[in-house]
Amino acid sequence: MKTCFAPSVLSLAVLVSFGAAANDYASIDTYEGKPASEHTTKANAAVAKILPWEDTSAFERTKRGLIAEFGTHEAGELKQRFNYMTDMSVDDLPPSVNPSIWRQGMLNYAAGGLYEVTDGVYQIRGADLSNMTIYRTDNGYVIHDPLLSRQAAAASWDFAKQHLPAINGEHKITGMIYSHMHADHFGGSRGIVESGDFADGAKIYAPKDFIKELADENVIAGTAMGRRANYQYGTTLDNNTKGIVDNALGLGTSRGEVTLVAPTTEIQEREKTVTIDGLEFHAINMPGAEAPAEIVLYVPQYRSLNTAELTYDGMHNIYTFRGAKVRDSLVWTKYLTELKLRFVDSGLVDNIHAAHSAPVWNNADTDVNEISQYMTLQRDNYGFIHNQAMRLANHGVTIHDVGREIEGIVPQSQIDTWHTNGYHGSYSHNARAVVNLYLGYHDMNPVNTNPLQTQDQSCVYVNAAGADTLYKAGMTHFKAGEYQEASQLFNDLVQCDPNNIDYRFALADSFEQQGYQSETMAWRNSYLQGAVELRTGDIQPSIKLASSDVIANTPTGMFLDFIAVSMNAPKAEAAGLDFNFGVYHPDLEERYYGEVSNANMSNIEVDAIPAVDFELIINKTDFTKVVLGETTLDELFKSGQAGVKGDASLLKQLAGTLDKFDGMFEILPMPTK
C-alpha cells in the first residue's frame, strides 16, 4: 500500500452515467449502488485540496514497533475481508468516498499484527474494531480488552504466543482487564479464558458498575438499539467504495460469538493500585465520558498510560446513532486535563496507548512533548464542542441549528489535525448532543410543543403544495447538486405516499450522494443504508446486542424492568391487572418485589418479600434459561425445578399482555403493497 502523501492529480472521473441504474433492486443479494454524481465528484475533490496530506505521522505511529504481520493467520480475517483496500492510495481517490474518511480507512487498514509499544507492553491491532493490549508480568501476561468475539480473541492470542517470549517455559495468562462495558472490549473474553493458558485463580478486573451499565445499555432499549445499529453500521452494505470503507475506530468488526466472562472484581474506589503477578496497575475510574463505566490505567514499571477510549485518532461520539445515554463532553475534557497534568506533563510516561488506534510516543531527539500536544488537541476538541454549543445556546441558537453553526467556526488548528476529524462523531451531531444534555430536545417553538405525527406533518406540506410541485422542486435541487434540500422534499413525499416508486428512488438517490460526501462513518452508512431500504423495500434482521452471556449476567431486576417495558398498557388495563408479586432466587439468595397497577409495573430488590399475591421461586440459572428460550416455566414447574406460591394464574395473565419485539420496524416508510 502506498503511504499517505499530497496528491498531485486527483483521479475522480465518473466512470458511468449517473442516471444508469446498477440493477432493478429486486434483491438485496444483487444490490449495487449508483456512481457518484458530477456534483459529488467535485465536492469530494474540493475537500481533498484542503486536507493536511503532508502530515503522515499517524502512519508512522501505526507501523512503529511491528513484531509480526498476520499474513495468512486467522487473526487477520478482518484484513482479508477488506482486501480491496490493498491498493488504497491518495493519488487515486474514489469519487464515491469523502477523501478524509478514505484516508482514515487507509490508516486503519495499515494496522495488522503484533506490535511492541515498549518493552513489556504489546498490542494486537487490526484483528477487530478494538486493540488487545498485552502486559508482561513476572510469570506471564495480562490481557487488556479481549476484542469483540470469542473467535477473534482466541486467534489473536494464538498469534501473540507465536511471537512473544515464553516465561518459565509457557505463555500463562495471569489476569484480564476490561476497560469499559462496550462489547468490543469484553466480547472475546471466553476466547481468552478457554484458551488453556488462563491461570487458575487469575482475576478479571472491570470498572465500577460494569455489569449494571452493560445491562442497562443493552436490555431496556436493546431491540430498538439493534435496529438503529443497522443504520449506523450499514449492515446490508458491501465492503467497497460504494459501501463500507471504514468503521472509524477501526477497519471493521470481527465475525463470531460475543461472550462475557463476568469480572471477578469491579474496582469500586475512584483510584486503586492493583498488583497482578508482580505488575502494578494504577486504575482510575473515569465514568460518564466515553462510557458510563470506564477505567484508565497507569503502569509505572513500563512508564505507560492506557487511556482506554478517552483518546483515539479521530473525534469520538458525544451521541452515538445506535442510541445510548448522551455523554458528558465537559467531564471528558476534565479527565483528559487530569491525565495530562498528572502523568504526561509531569514526565511519568513515555507513551500513551488506547483501545483504538496506534500509541503516541515522545520523541527522545526533541524537547517537544508530543503526547502532551496530542492530548491537548483531543481535549480541546471536546471542549470546543461543549463550550461553543452552550455559548450559542445561550444566544438562543436551537438544538436543530447549533450543528450547522458549530461547523462554521471550527478552529483552524483542529481542521489541520487528522486526529480531531469527525470519523466517529461529528461536530454537528455532537453539538446537538451537548445542547440536548443541558436543555433537552425541545426548542420551545410552540409548533413543536405538541407536534403532528411524522406522516401527518408531511402530508400537510404535500397537500398544501401538491405532490407534483414538490417532486419537481426536489428534482430541481437534485440536478443542482443540492441533495439535502432535495431529500427534505422527497422525504415528505415518501412519508405521505410510501408506495410511489419514483418518490422512493428519488429520495434514495439524494441520500446516496450525501453518503458519498460524508466524512463521518455513521452518516455515510446511515445515508447508504437508507437508500438500500428505500430501493429494495427490504428490512434485514437487527443486530443482536445482548448475547447469551450478557443475558446470563444481567441482574433479574433489569429483566423485570424489561418486562415492564414489554407490558402493553391497553391490554393490561382491559384485563384489569392489579396485583403484587415476588421473585426468589434460592441459588443467589436474591429477592425481588413488584407491583402491577394502573397499567404499569414496578419492582425493587428487597431483603425479604412481604405478603404477595404470588411468589415465583426459581434459580437465577434457570430464570436465565427461560429468558434465552432454552426452557419454559411450565417445564420447570413440572420437573420441580421452579415453583409458585399463591395465584399462579396471575403469571399467565401478565404474560398475555406482553409485546414481543422483533426489531424489524420501519425507519423509513416501507411500501404497503
Side-chain angles (χ1 to χ4, degrees), residues 430-559:
N430 279 346
R432 283 174 275 165
V434 171
V435 174
N436 182 67
L437 180 67
Y438 285 93
L439 298 176
Y441 64 86
H442 186 30
D443 63 359
M444 292 309 295
N445 184 329
V447 78
N448 296 322
T449 300
N450 184 27
L452 290 167
Q453 288 191 303
T454 301
Q455 186 179 46
D456 293 338
Q457 185 181 84
S458 291
C459 288
V460 166
Y461 296 128
V462 173
N463 292 336
D468 288 344
T469 299
L470 288 185
Y471 183 70
K472 289 176 182 177
M475 290 305 299
T476 298
H477 284 298
F478 185 89
K479 291 174 182 177
E482 297 165 351
Y483 300 122
Q484 187 173 16
E485 291 83 349
S487 291
Q488 190 74 44
L489 298 174
F490 293 147
N491 180 64
D492 284 331
L493 290 165
V494 171
Q495 294 287 348
C496 199
D497 184 3
N499 294 312
N500 189 297
I501 295 298
D502 289 338
Y503 300 163
R504 298 181 67 83
F505 280 22
L507 181 57
D509 287 350
S510 63
F511 277 172
E512 189 169 56
Q513 297 306 309
Q514 290 174 84
Y516 291 163
Q517 294 183 33
S518 296
E519 178 183 60
T520 304
M521 172 273 287
W523 290 38
R524 177 183 175 88
N525 290 348
S526 294
Y527 280 127
L528 299 184
Q529 181 70 26
V532 170
E533 293 188 3
L534 284 165
R535 288 168 173 164
T536 65
D538 186 21
I539 297 175
Q540 292 291 301
S542 298
I543 294 173
K544 303 301 181 185
L545 298 175
S547 68
S548 57
D549 270 347
V550 170
I551 290 172
N553 285 285
T554 297
T556 294
M558 287 189 173
F559 280 120

Side-chain angles (χ1 to χ4, degrees), residues 560-578:
L560 296 177
D561 291 339
F562 181 69
I563 291 173
V565 169
S566 304
M567 191 174 76
N568 186 307
K571 287 183 179 179
E573 183 179 28
L577 295 189
D578 189 355

Side-chain angles (χ1 to χ4, degrees), residues 620-654:
K620 175 63 162 66
T621 52
D622 291 327
F623 185 83
T624 298
K625 291 177 182 177
V626 172
V627 174
L628 290 171
E630 297 174 358
T631 188
T632 66
L633 282 176
D634 284 340
E635 290 172 347
L636 293 174
F637 292 155
K638 289 176 182 177
S639 67
Q641 292 175 267
V644 176
K645 293 180 181 178
D647 189 353
S649 68
L650 293 173
L651 263 174
K652 291 189 176 181
Q653 291 181 47
L654 175 62

Side-chain angles (χ1 to χ4, degrees), residues 140-172:
Y141 297 93
V142 166
I143 304 297
H144 182 275
D145 284 356
L147 308 182
L148 174 67
S149 69
R150 177 177 58 81
Q151 291 84 346
S156 294
W157 174 239
D158 177 76
F159 183 78
K161 286 195 299 182
Q162 295 179 21
H163 302 282
L164 291 177
I167 301 175
N168 301 325
E170 59 182 342
H171 291 87
K172 184 188 296 183

Side-chain angles (χ1 to χ4, degrees), residues 51 121 140 212 224 233 250 327 363 399 407 410 443 465 586 600 611 667:
L51 292 173
V121 182
K212 172 188 176 298
Y233 297 106
R327 297 158 182 177
N363 189 339
I399 189 171
E407 287 177 330
V410 177
D443 63 359
N600 182 58
I667 290 179

Side-chain angles (χ1 to χ4, degrees), residues 193-254:
V193 172
E194 297 173 358
S195 65
D197 299 310
F198 201 76
D200 291 341
K203 294 182 177 180
I204 302 173
Y205 296 88
K208 179 182 178 183
D209 295 330
F210 177 86
I211 290 292
K212 172 188 176 298
E213 295 294 350
L214 185 157
D216 197 29
E217 191 162 298
N218 290 281
V219 175
I220 297 295
T223 304
M225 192 179 293
R227 172 69 174 120
R228 292 162 62 99
N230 285 5
Y231 271 61
Q232 179 171 346
Y233 297 106
T235 54
T236 63
L237 305 178
D238 290 330
N239 301 326
N240 57 44
T241 57
K242 289 187 283 189
I244 296 174
V245 297
D246 186 58
N247 222 302
L249 298 172
L251 190 60
T253 56
S254 63

Side-chain angles (χ1 to χ4, degrees), residues 560 579-583 592-596 601-604 606 609-610 612-614:
L560 296 177
F579 59 85
N580 59 7
F581 66 92
V583 177
Y592 297 86
Y593 170 78
E595 296 181 2
V596 176
M601 175 175 155
S602 302
N603 83 90
I604 58 170
V606 294
I609 298 174
V612 291
D613 293 307
F614 76 86

Side-chain angles (χ1 to χ4, degrees), residues 116-411:
E116 182 182 74
V117 179
T118 190
D119 184 24
V121 182
Y122 312 93
Q123 284 189 321
I124 291 284
R125 298 202 295 271
D128 211 330
L129 187 67
S130 53
N131 300 331
M132 178 192 291
T133 303
I134 304 169
Y135 298 98
R136 188 175 63 227
T137 62
D138 288 351
N139 299 289
Y141 297 93
V142 166
I143 304 297
H144 182 275
D145 284 356
L147 308 182
L148 174 67
S149 69
R150 177 177 58 81
Q151 291 84 346
S156 294
W157 174 239
D158 177 76
F159 183 78
K161 286 195 299 182
Q162 295 179 21
H163 302 282
L164 291 177
I167 301 175
N168 301 325
E170 59 182 342
H171 291 87
K172 184 188 296 183
I173 299 172
T174 54
M176 189 155 60
I177 302 170
Y178 305 143
S179 66
H180 61 291
M181 23 62 64
H182 294 151
D184 53 319
H185 304 272
F186 66 78
S189 50
R190 288 204 178 278
I192 299 299
V193 172
E194 297 173 358
S195 65
D197 299 310
F198 201 76
D200 291 341
K203 294 182 177 180
I204 302 173
Y205 296 88
K208 179 182 178 183
D209 295 330
F210 177 86
I211 290 292
K212 172 188 176 298
E213 295 294 350
L214 185 157
D216 197 29
E217 191 162 298
N218 290 281
V219 175
I220 297 295
T223 304
M225 192 179 293
R227 172 69 174 120
R228 292 162 62 99
N230 285 5
Y231 271 61
Q232 179 171 346
Y233 297 106
T235 54
T236 63
L237 305 178
D238 290 330
N239 301 326
N240 57 44
T241 57
K242 289 187 283 189
I244 296 174
V245 297
D246 186 58
N247 222 302
L249 298 172
L251 190 60
T253 56
S254 63
R255 292 172 173 167
E257 179 188 3
V258 177
T259 62
L260 171 62
V261 180
T264 57
T265 303
E266 286 191 4
I267 297 172
Q268 300 297 321
E269 301 85 349
R270 205 277 166 155
E271 301 186 33
K272 184 176 182 178
T273 297
V274 175
T275 301
I276 304 177
D277 188 37
L279 182 62
E280 283 190 359
F281 296 88
H282 185 74
I284 309 174
N285 273 300
M286 291 189 162
E290 191 276 331
E294 190 158 7
I295 49 173
V296 301
L297 300 172
Y298 170 55
V299 191
Q301 179 172 327
Y302 298 130
R303 293 180 54 80
S304 296
L305 179 68
N306 188 314
T307 57
E309 208 160 325
L310 293 179
T311 65
Y312 108 97
D313 278 7
M315 184 199 305
H316 218 301
N317 278 317
I318 304 302
Y319 166 76
T320 179
F321 278 23
R322 64 181 167 83
K325 296 173 183 177
V326 173
R327 297 158 182 177
D328 190 335
S329 53
L330 180 58
V331 77
W332 201 324
T333 68
K334 293 184 183 297
Y335 289 154
L336 290 179
T337 300
E338 177 185 351
L339 295 174
K340 177 174 172 289
L341 286 174
R342 290 180 61 180
F343 302 107
V344 177
D345 292 350
S346 61
L348 293 178
V349 298
D350 298 325
N351 70 81
I352 61 169
H353 54 281
H356 302 278
S357 305
V360 182
W361 295 266
N362 279 330
N363 189 339
D365 297 329
T366 70
D367 294 329
V368 177
N369 191 326
E370 295 183 23
I371 302 174
S372 183
Q373 287 183 343
Y374 182 91
M375 292 187 74
T376 297
L377 277 159
Q378 290 266 303
R379 178 204 58 198
D380 291 345
N381 193 224
Y382 302 116
F384 164 78
I385 293 170
H386 174 275
N387 295 336
Q388 295 309 301
M390 293 315 299
R391 177 182 70 84
L392 291 167
N394 280 310
H395 279 300
V397 178
T398 69
I399 189 171
H400 305 295
D401 296 337
V402 71
R404 282 289 177 85
E405 293 283 342
I406 285 285
E407 287 177 330
I409 60 171
V410 177

